[in-house]
């Protein structure tokens, strides 16, 4: 049975510098995102598009969403499958191309998770579980470009598990 999950937020443009969008250089690309019971997220455009490099941009957040979704799906699969993960770090990358007309799209995201498991007997399953996690990830299932995985599995030498 399919279940619906609804998400609600409020996005507000904060970049009116007094002249609105009267000129391409006259306005800022800053915005804030409010979600009930959560901290406000402050964002901007990518610096290439006149944004603030110190703020999160939509492209950052798309790659972040894919990385976090895979991690959460992976941790679930490992828990159910008896693999004890003691550390997980991902250095994800995304490749977006833009066209001369100003449009663009992502062509791929590569997740590079470095996973540490509690015991050497878990390594083989830990590697295999990335495929299952990818199949379960809601965000990866929602994009029209490949989300690749290049994982490294380490064994925790100090584990008491």
């Amino acid at each position: 049975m399919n279940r619906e999950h609804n998400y609600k937020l409020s996005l507000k443009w904060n970049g009116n510098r007094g002249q609105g969008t009267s000129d391409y250089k006259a306005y800022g690309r800053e915005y804030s995102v409010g979600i009930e019971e959560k901290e406000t997220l402050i964002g901007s455009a990518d610096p290439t598009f006149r944004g603030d490099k110190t703020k999160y941009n939509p492209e950052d957040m798309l790659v972040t969403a894919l990385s976090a979704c895979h991690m959460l799906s992976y941790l679930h699969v490992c828990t159910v499958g008896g693999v004890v993960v003691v550390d997980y770090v991902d250095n994800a990358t995304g490749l977006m191309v833009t066209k001369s007309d100003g449009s663009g799209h992502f062509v791929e995201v590569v997740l590079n998770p470095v996973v540490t498991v509690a015991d050497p007997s878990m390594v083989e399953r830990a590697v295999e579980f990335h495929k299952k996690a990818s199949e379960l990830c809601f965000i990866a299932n929602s994009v029209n470009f490949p989300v690749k995985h290049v994982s490294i599995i380490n064994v925790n030498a100090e584990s008491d598990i």
Side-chain angles (χ1 to χ4, degrees), residues 40-59:
T40 300
L41 184 132
I42 305 299
S44 185
D46 183 285
T48 302
F49 310 111
R50 307 188 61 80
D52 181 342
K53 69 180 180 180
T54 67
K55 307 280 190 284
Y56 295 102
N57 63 59
E59 296 81 8

Side-chain angles (χ1 to χ4, degrees), residues 14 31-35 38-44 56-57 61:
N14 302 321
Y31 58 88
S32 58
V33 178
I35 300 173
K38 297 181 184 182
E39 291 184 33
T40 300
L41 184 132
I42 305 299
S44 185
Y56 295 102
N57 63 59
M61 291 188 284

Side-chain angles (χ1 to χ4, degrees), residues 88-124:
Y88 185 109
V89 176
D90 184 14
N91 296 297
T93 62
L95 176 61
M96 184 181 78
V97 295
T98 55
K99 299 177 184 176
S100 59
D101 67 0
S103 67
H105 63 278
F106 273 82
V107 294
E108 75 173 13
V109 166
V110 179
L111 306 180
N112 298 287
V114 178
V115 178
T116 304
V117 297
D119 187 83
S121 66
M122 300 173 180
V123 170
E124 187 176 327

Side-chain angles (χ1 to χ4, degrees), residues 17-157:
R17 297 181 180 150
Q19 300 174 356
T21 59
S22 61
D23 180 82
Y24 193 68
K25 295 180 181 180
Y27 66 95
R29 276 61 175 178
E30 301 79 28
Y31 58 88
S32 58
V33 178
I35 300 173
E36 192 173 313
E37 298 183 24
K38 297 181 184 182
E39 291 184 33
T40 300
L41 184 132
I42 305 299
S44 185
D46 183 285
T48 302
F49 310 111
R50 307 188 61 80
D52 181 342
K53 69 180 180 180
T54 67
K55 307 280 190 284
Y56 295 102
N57 63 59
E59 296 81 8
D60 291 332
M61 291 188 284
L62 176 61
V63 175
T64 299
L66 286 162
S67 177
C69 185
H70 181 81
M71 179 195 69
L72 294 168
S73 297
Y74 183 77
L75 295 175
H76 164 75
V77 171
C78 286
T79 300
V80 172
V83 171
V84 179
V85 175
V86 296
D87 193 43
Y88 185 109
V89 176
D90 184 14
N91 296 297
T93 62
L95 176 61
M96 184 181 78
V97 295
T98 55
K99 299 177 184 176
S100 59
D101 67 0
S103 67
H105 63 278
F106 273 82
V107 294
E108 75 173 13
V109 166
V110 179
L111 306 180
N112 298 287
V114 178
V115 178
T116 304
V117 297
D119 187 83
S121 66
M122 300 173 180
V123 170
E124 187 176 327
R125 285 178 292 151
V127 170
E128 293 170 5
F129 286 169
H130 280 290
K131 182 178 187 307
K132 180 66 175 172
S134 181
E135 293 167 0
L136 293 175
C137 175
F138 309 134
I139 308 301
N141 286 322
S142 301
V143 298
N144 65 353
F145 53 84
V147 179
K148 301 176 182 176
H149 308 90
V150 180
S151 63
I152 296 172
I153 308 294
N154 296 317
V155 177
N156 185 5

